């Protein structure tokens, strides 16, 4: 028996030794360490912060799948490191929510390892709501700005700004600017290019806007930029030149603010369209100077009450004299029923987000936060 065993051992040595010298190592028999998967926070942890604590890592291998889900099965988006050995969420987590972390990794030999944990995030002391001005799927003019407002003052303005992500096609840089601590507007440096698709990810949920106060909004919306239309109102000539896609398509006689009621200068964006509306001087600090219940074809240019609208009571002022209380008036008829008037034509041919620029008025340039009029700020100022 011993002799036979010796023969077998000699034979194996001869086969694996390559004929002479020290034997070559056999890679097939080399041991490979199992992938080690780490998850923070620990399994079963409670009171976990909504940002900055969740991380996944791999040693002696790489991560091939990371799924973080809430009780409804909604996944948290995240990003792998370039070498696939780490993962972190790309958005804040919801407050007071249990999350399950399921991870798959593999070592250099392709052998898989798995790990599953769970944890619960901290509850919010208070929450803040977010409201925005553009409906999903809207077609807008080239001057549209995304404006997001909050129902409580924001202290961590950078964190909230960064949680509102905007992607465009074709690509263009978009910056946000805070007006005070409850409103942030977003726009590119120049007017949007016609046809631009704008996709917005509101990821404010779980973002701590102020100590103990967390956001609740998590929504995706998008809008499309239509044709370019920019109309210039010249107070000296009392005309409005309507330019579409670089070509002047109509010149319209207008009336603007009378002495003492001058119309703002500057670039203003149409934010609202009303076939008929009541205009009362009491609402804008002019007392009982006027109260017109049926102003036709009214389009808002400022929060403070500047409109471009139809006027059926002005007689022959259009193109001849300035007679308004600061609005831009166009010839119209009572009841807004005549599609052939200048006001009806302009109303039908305008989009929310179109630009109306007033020049040569004796008033100041309109404030950038009086409506969606941030185009009156330089790009350098806007990024601050």
């Amino acid at each position: 028996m011993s002799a036979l065993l010796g023969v077998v051992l000699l034979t194996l040595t001869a086969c694996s030794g390559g004929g002479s010298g020290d034997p070559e190592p056999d890679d097939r028999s080399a041991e490979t360490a199992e992938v080690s998967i780490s998850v923070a926070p620990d399994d079963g942890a409670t009171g976990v912060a909504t940002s900055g604590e969740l991380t996944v890592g791999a040693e002696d291998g790489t991560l091939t799948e990371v799924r973080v889900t809430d009780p409804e099965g909604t996944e948290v988006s995240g990003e792998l490191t370039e070498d696939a050995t780490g993962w972190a969420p790309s958005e804040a987590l919801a407050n007071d929510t249990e999350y399950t972390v399921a991870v798959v990794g593999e070592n250099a030999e392709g052998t898989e390892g798995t790990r599953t944990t769970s944890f619960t995030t901290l509850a919010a002391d208070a929450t803040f709501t977010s409201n925005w001005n553009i409906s999903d799927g809207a077609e807008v003019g080239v001057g549209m700005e995304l404006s997001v407002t909050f129902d409580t003052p924001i202290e961590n303005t950078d964190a909230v700004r960064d949680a509102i992500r905007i992607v465009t096609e074709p690509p263009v840089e978009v910056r946000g600017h805070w007006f005070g601590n409850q409103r942030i507007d977003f726009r590119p440096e120049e007017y949007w290019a016609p046809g631009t698709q704008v996709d917005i990810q509101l990821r404010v949920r779980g973002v701590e806007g102020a100590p103990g106060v967390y956001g609740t909004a998590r929504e995706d919306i998008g809008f499309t930029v239509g044709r370019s239309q920019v109309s210039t109102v010249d107070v000296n000539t009392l005309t409005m030149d309507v330019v579409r896609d670089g070509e002047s398509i109509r010149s319209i006689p207008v009336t603007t603010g009378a002495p003492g009621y001058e119309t703002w200068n500057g670039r203003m964006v149409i934010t609202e369209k009303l076939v008929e509306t009541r205009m009362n001087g009491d609402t804008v600090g002019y007392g009982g100077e006027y109260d017109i219940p049926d102003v036709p074809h009214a389009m808002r240019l400022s929060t403070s009450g500047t409109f471009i609208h139809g006027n059926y009571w002005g007689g022959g002022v259009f193109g001849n004299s300035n007679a308004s209380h600061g609005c831009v008036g166009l010839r119209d008829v009572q009841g807004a029923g005549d599609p052939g008037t200048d006001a009806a034509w302009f109303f039908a041919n305008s989009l929310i987000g179109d630009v109306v620029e007033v020049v040569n008025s004796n008033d100041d340039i309109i404030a950038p936060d009086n409506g969606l009029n941030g185009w009156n700020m330089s790009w350098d100022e806007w990024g601050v």
Side-chain angles (χ1 to χ4, degrees):
M1 183 71 175
S2 324
L4 179 59
L5 180 57
V7 171
V8 172
L9 290 173
L10 287 170
T11 303
L12 288 174
T13 302
C15 288
S16 61
S20 64
D22 293 332
E24 294 286 339
D26 186 352
D27 291 339
R28 292 172 299 175
S29 64
E31 291 188 5
T32 303
E34 293 183 1
V35 61
S36 174
I37 297 171
S38 61
V39 178
D42 293 335
D43 189 24
T46 59
V48 175
T50 55
S51 299
E53 289 200 22
L54 173 58
T55 59
V56 179
E59 291 186 6
D60 299 317
T62 57
L63 300 170
T64 58
E65 183 179 1
V66 179
R67 295 184 72 245
V68 180
T69 53
D70 66 14
E72 285 73 44
T74 303
E75 289 194 33
V76 175
S77 60
E79 296 180 356
L80 283 171
T81 58
E82 188 173 348
D83 61 2
T85 62
W87 180 95
S90 56
E91 61 180 290
L93 307 175
N95 292 94
D96 198 19
T97 301
E98 182 180 17
Y99 284 95
T100 299
V101 185
V103 187
V104 180
E106 65 178 24
N107 63 15
E109 294 297 305
T111 302
E112 287 190 341
T114 62
R115 186 171 184 190
T116 301
T117 66
S118 65
F119 65 89
T120 302
T121 54
L122 56 78
D125 294 336
T127 59
F128 64 88
T129 61
S130 310
N131 298 286
W132 48 94
N133 63 318
I134 306 176
S135 59
D136 187 31
E139 181 184 15
V140 301
V142 296
M144 177 55 83
E145 297 172 12
L146 171 66
S147 185
V148 185
T149 56
F150 308 98
D151 66 346
T152 192
I154 301 298
E155 295 183 27
N156 300 327
T157 52
D158 287 352
V160 172
R161 179 201 61 210
D162 292 345
I164 302 171
R165 305 163 189 171
I166 300 176
V167 178
T168 70
E169 181 56 45
V172 64
E173 181 185 5
V174 178
R175 293 181 186 174
H177 180 84
W178 284 95
F179 293 108
N181 56 12
Q182 290 185 244
R183 171 182 168 184
I184 183 170
D185 289 6
F186 294 85
R187 68 168 177 90
E189 182 174 5
E190 306 294 342
Y191 297 142
W192 299 100
T196 299
Q197 176 63 42
V198 183
D199 293 312
I200 303 157
Q201 293 182 335
L202 293 153
R203 295 294 184 266
V204 180
R205 181 202 64 183
V207 175
E208 191 174 22
V213 185
Y214 293 82
T216 58
R218 186 185 188 278
E219 191 164 343
D220 295 336
I221 61 173
F223 64 88
T224 303
V225 180
R227 81 289 176 274
S228 170
Q229 183 166 296
V230 179
S231 303
T232 301
V233 175
D234 189 329
V235 173
N236 285 343
T237 63
L238 288 171
T239 59
M240 179 171 68
D241 184 25
V242 182
V243 176
R244 180 175 295 175
D245 295 326
E247 179 182 353
S248 178
I249 61 171
R250 188 153 175 159
S251 180
I252 299 175
V254 301
T255 186
T256 64
Y261 301 96
E262 284 83 0
T263 305
W264 297 109
N265 281 297
R267 295 183 282 178
M268 293 173 258
V269 173
I270 296 173
T271 59
E272 184 179 19
K273 294 178 66 179
L274 304 165
V275 175
E276 279 189 327
T277 191
R278 178 183 179 185
M279 291 189 177
N280 187 327
D282 287 334
T283 64
V284 290
Y286 290 151
E289 293 189 27
Y290 61 88
D291 185 3
I292 306 171
D294 56 354
V295 177
H297 297 123
M299 291 176 280
R300 181 181 292 275
L301 300 178
S302 78
T303 306
S304 62
T306 307
F307 281 78
I308 182 167
H309 63 77
N311 178 327
Y312 62 80
W313 57 89
V317 297
F318 310 102
N320 295 311
S321 63
N322 288 314
S324 82
H325 285 78
C327 292
V328 179
L330 289 69
R331 185 180 291 107
D332 210 338
V333 297
Q334 189 170 16
D338 184 354
T341 65
D342 287 334
W345 178 90
F346 189 67
F347 187 90
N349 283 275
S350 294
L351 294 173
I352 300 293
D354 281 351
V355 179
V356 176
E357 182 172 7
V358 176
V359 298
N360 295 322
S361 175
N362 288 327
D363 208 342
D364 295 330
I365 293 175
I366 191 167
D369 60 343
N370 187 2
L372 298 181
N373 299 322
W375 303 104
N376 296 292
M377 290 182 69
S378 71
W379 188 235
D380 289 340
E381 292 177 294
W382 187 260
V384 176

